[in-house]
């Protein structure tokens, strides 16, 4: 665990596991050592941290207060480390990249490899998160570029499109389009209104992809039932492939081996809906050389083909 207080780790583990012996196994230390460490700290502080008479073990009132205090100290320490790192950041040789969390797992390994191959002396700092949070970081110059999905609303932000990819509908039995015998991806156009009143798995509203879907729903005046709301596109896709609601997915999350007993997959006409992936940066009279270098790599054919495979 990434904090400066071993006691914080140990108390968290004990309260989560419910016993000192189970916590010791999780921490890969011996039970006698952990028990002795807690006793020594209690003697040093002059307080009892754990209520050992309960099963599972709980914190005493003063123990809970102490744990809250060292958690606050740990958070302050981590904030200090981040601030110091930011002060030491070299804007001429390092690039700070924000990337949509749904794109990151698929795109980031190839992107970093391509950039390091061409500019080995550069260093990349990566921040993952939902589009709306990263957009705020870009606007406040806390990151240099953002790899994201369109649309983009603030006019202070410029962008270069990386690619345009199709979007697919994963439909379960609540959708009138569903047919048990459709075991292949259906690529023929279908009436958009046919998905009305189906149960859907949606992403939270801070997602860039959800912005696109909300616009699509509004334009077509659809009435869709929210069955679940999740944070990640991959989670939404997995739920839909399991038949737990319908959802929209970009090509990155397409499976050809889906189970037709649980869902069907339909390609949405690109004139109705498509996903545009872009690299965004602040609109300025002069773009930094390192930003231009990164944009060049992010928009090359290797990255485009990866997103369209």
């Amino acid at each position: 665990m990434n904090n400066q207080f071993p006691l914080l780790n140990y108390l968290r583990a004990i309260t989560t596991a419910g016993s000192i012996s189970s916590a010791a196994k999780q921490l890969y230390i011996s039970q006698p050592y952990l028990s002795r460490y807690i006793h020594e700290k209690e003697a040093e502080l002059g307080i009892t941290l754990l209520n050992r008479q309960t099963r599972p073990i709980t914190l005493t009132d003063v123990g809970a207060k102490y744990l809250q205090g060292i958690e606050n100290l740990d958070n302050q320490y981590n904030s200090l480390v981040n601030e110091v790192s930011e002060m030491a950041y070299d804007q001429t040789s390092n690039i700070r990249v924000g990337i949509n969390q749904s794109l990151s797992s698929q795109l980031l390994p190839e992107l970093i490899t391509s950039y390091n191959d061409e500019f080995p002396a550069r260093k990349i700092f990566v921040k993952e998160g939902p589009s709306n949070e990263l957009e705020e970081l870009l606007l406040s110059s806390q990151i240099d570029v953002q790899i994201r999905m369109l649309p983009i609303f603030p006019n202070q932000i410029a962008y270069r499109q990386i690619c345009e990819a199709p979007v697919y509908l994963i439909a379960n039995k609540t959708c009138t389009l569903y047919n048990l015998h459709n075991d292949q991806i259906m690529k023929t156009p279908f009436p958009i209104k046919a998905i009305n009143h189906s149960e859907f798995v949606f992403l939270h509203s801070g997602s860039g992809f959800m912005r696109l879907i909300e616009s699509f729903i509004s334009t077509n005046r659809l009435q869709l039932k929210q069955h679940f709301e999740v944070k990640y596109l991959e989670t939404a896709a997995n739920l839909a492939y399991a038949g737990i609601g319908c959802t929209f997915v970009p090509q990155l999350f397409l499976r050809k081996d889906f189970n037709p007993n649980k869902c069907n997959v339909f390609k949405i006409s690109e004139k109705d809906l498509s996903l545009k992936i872009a690299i965004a940066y602040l609109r300025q009279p002069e773009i930094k050389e390192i930003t231009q270098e990164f944009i060049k790599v992010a928009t090359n054919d290797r990255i485009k083909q990866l997103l369209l495979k």
Side-chain angles (χ1 to χ4, degrees), residues 33-48:
Y33 170 82
L34 179 57
S35 183
R36 185 172 66 253
Y37 183 93
I38 299 297
H39 276 297
E40 288 175 354
K41 285 298 179 183
E42 288 177 323
E44 179 184 323
L45 295 166
I47 60 176
T48 301

Side-chain angles (χ1 to χ4, degrees), residues 56-73:
I57 287 180
T58 59
L59 292 168
T60 62
D61 289 344
V62 69
K65 181 68 174 178
Y66 184 79
L67 177 60
Q68 182 182 24
I70 56 177
E71 283 180 332
N72 290 337
L73 288 172

